[in-house]
Amino acid sequence: MKETISLKELFQILRKRFWLIILITVIVSTASAVVSYFILTPVYESKTQLLVNQAKSEQQLYDSTEIQTNIQLINTYNVIIKSPVILEKVKDGLKLNKTVEDLNNQIKVSSATNSQVVEITVQDTSKKIANQIANETAKVFQEEIVKIMNIDNVSILSKDEVVANAAPVKPKPLINIGLGVLIGLILGVGLSLLMEYLDNTLKTEQDIENILDLPVIGVVTNIKDVPKPTNVSRPDVAARVTQRGETYGS
């Protein structure tokens, strides 16, 4: 194959090995579906929200300076929530057969910019366990932050509830199958181009003109062997043979 190919030549290469591209695509997408549905363990997600805000009486007005202070404290709270001080109590409270490091990896703490709401997200292979960890973490943090920082400005905004027919957040079979089709197409096209590049044989007159840059002035065709006749049934030949036999015999 030449160093550079035209769009037409590329199309011809892909058309010639179209079966290979389809075969690889089917194999990869099927493997992706099998892994997604039968091998990977479903993972469920639970979320709990905390509100960082000092309780106010009816006579008090909201102070913008205090709100800004609460927002700045959230970064500190995000770290404390995943600290061993909190997670050890969560582990003991739920009697989990997990390490603190395992819990840390399961929990994600986030907050929107300039927001006083902290969101605790937990992922686990059990929807019930994920729900318990999320709610227990929020509860323990609300209780312990008073002792740790001597500040009582955290309240639980929403708890997660267990839904019977909750769908797992991963794996996502349809997305995985779509990625499998895309990867299969890329692999198929790449392998087709590689095979064409490594193929140095000349198959047609066009290949000779393209590679040698010489015109083709003649072609030797492949002549098949013609079988010899076994029986001669022409009457004139048979008659001459008979006449010659009679002459020689006389």
Side-chain angles (χ1 to χ4, degrees), residues 123-143:
Q123 291 187 350
D124 194 272
T125 54
S126 169
K127 174 63 179 176
K128 181 179 179 181
I129 297 297
N131 169 267
Q132 291 176 346
I133 294 175
N135 291 336
E136 184 70 11
T137 302
K139 175 185 174 183
V140 170
F141 174 73
Q142 183 186 26
E143 295 172 352

Side-chain angles (χ1 to χ4, degrees), residues 8-63:
K8 181 179 179 180
E9 290 173 328
L10 177 61
F11 176 76
Q12 290 175 345
I13 294 172
L14 297 181
R15 185 176 62 178
K16 181 170 65 174
R17 292 191 168 85
F18 180 74
W19 63 270
L20 178 63
I21 298 174
I22 295 300
L23 178 62
I24 293 177
T25 302
V26 171
I27 292 175
V28 175
S29 58
T30 302
S32 177
V34 171
V35 170
S36 298
Y37 282 108
F38 301 107
I39 297 179
L40 294 179
T41 304
V43 175
Y44 298 89
E45 186 175 85
S46 293
K47 293 183 179 180
T48 301
Q49 291 181 324
L50 300 174
L51 177 63
V52 180
N53 188 36
Q54 188 72 30
K56 301 288 183 180
S57 63
E58 295 181 357
Q59 291 78 18
Q60 288 178 303
L61 298 176
Y62 283 100
D63 186 357

Side-chain angles (χ1 to χ4, degrees), residues 42-160:
V43 175
Y44 298 89
E45 186 175 85
S46 293
K47 293 183 179 180
T48 301
Q49 291 181 324
L50 300 174
L51 177 63
V52 180
N53 188 36
Q54 188 72 30
K56 301 288 183 180
S57 63
E58 295 181 357
Q59 291 78 18
Q60 288 178 303
L61 298 176
Y62 283 100
D63 186 357
S64 59
T65 303
E66 185 175 338
I67 292 175
Q68 189 63 33
T69 302
N70 290 332
I71 292 175
Q72 293 174 354
L73 281 173
I74 286 178
N75 292 331
T76 303
Y77 289 171
N78 290 348
V79 177
I80 295 176
I81 289 173
K82 298 184 66 175
S83 66
V85 175
I86 304 298
L87 297 185
E88 280 287 358
K89 293 185 178 298
V90 173
K91 173 188 169 184
D92 295 339
L94 297 177
K95 295 180 173 58
L96 297 175
N97 188 23
K98 298 176 182 286
T99 65
V100 172
E101 184 178 357
D102 292 336
L103 279 176
N104 195 310
N105 294 331
Q106 287 184 261
I107 298 174
K108 178 183 177 182
V109 183
S110 60
S111 58
T113 305
N114 296 327
S115 171
Q116 293 178 258
V117 177
V118 177
E119 188 172 73
I120 301 174
T121 305
V122 179
Q123 291 187 350
D124 194 272
T125 54
S126 169
K127 174 63 179 176
K128 181 179 179 181
I129 297 297
N131 169 267
Q132 291 176 346
I133 294 175
N135 291 336
E136 184 70 11
T137 302
K139 175 185 174 183
V140 170
F141 174 73
Q142 183 186 26
E143 295 172 352
E144 294 299 317
I145 195 64
V146 179
K147 304 174 185 177
I148 295 173
M149 299 189 65
N150 197 25
I151 300 177
D152 185 12
N153 65 342
V154 176
S155 58
I156 298 177
L157 187 62
S158 66
K159 290 185 177 182
D160 186 69

Side-chain angles (χ1 to χ4, degrees), residues 164 221 240 248:
T221 59
R240 283 198 292 267
Y248 295 147

Side-chain angles (χ1 to χ4, degrees), residues 113-238:
T113 305
N114 296 327
S115 171
Q116 293 178 258
V117 177
V118 177
E119 188 172 73
I120 301 174
T121 305
V122 179
Q123 291 187 350
D124 194 272
T125 54
S126 169
K127 174 63 179 176
K128 181 179 179 181
I129 297 297
N131 169 267
Q132 291 176 346
I133 294 175
N135 291 336
E136 184 70 11
T137 302
K139 175 185 174 183
V140 170
F141 174 73
Q142 183 186 26
E143 295 172 352
E144 294 299 317
I145 195 64
V146 179
K147 304 174 185 177
I148 295 173
M149 299 189 65
N150 197 25
I151 300 177
D152 185 12
N153 65 342
V154 176
S155 58
I156 298 177
L157 187 62
S158 66
K159 290 185 177 182
D160 186 69
E161 301 294 335
V162 178
V163 181
N165 58 347
V169 294
K170 58 184 180 182
K172 300 185 183 220
L174 294 180
I175 294 178
N176 292 344
I177 292 173
L179 290 174
V181 171
L182 180 60
I183 294 173
L185 288 173
I186 294 174
L187 290 177
V189 171
L191 183 59
S192 298
L193 294 176
L194 179 62
M195 291 175 64
E196 186 70 17
Y197 179 79
L198 297 177
D199 188 3
N200 296 324
T201 59
L202 302 177
K203 299 181 178 63
T204 64
E205 299 89 343
Q206 189 66 34
D207 292 339
I208 297 175
E209 292 182 352
N210 292 337
I211 295 176
L212 301 180
D213 197 18
L214 295 174
V216 177
I217 59 177
V219 177
V220 178
T221 59
N222 186 14
I223 303 175
K224 296 182 179 179
D225 294 336
V226 180
K228 296 181 180 180
T230 56
N231 296 322
V232 179
S233 59
R234 290 180 57 183
D236 56 338
V237 175

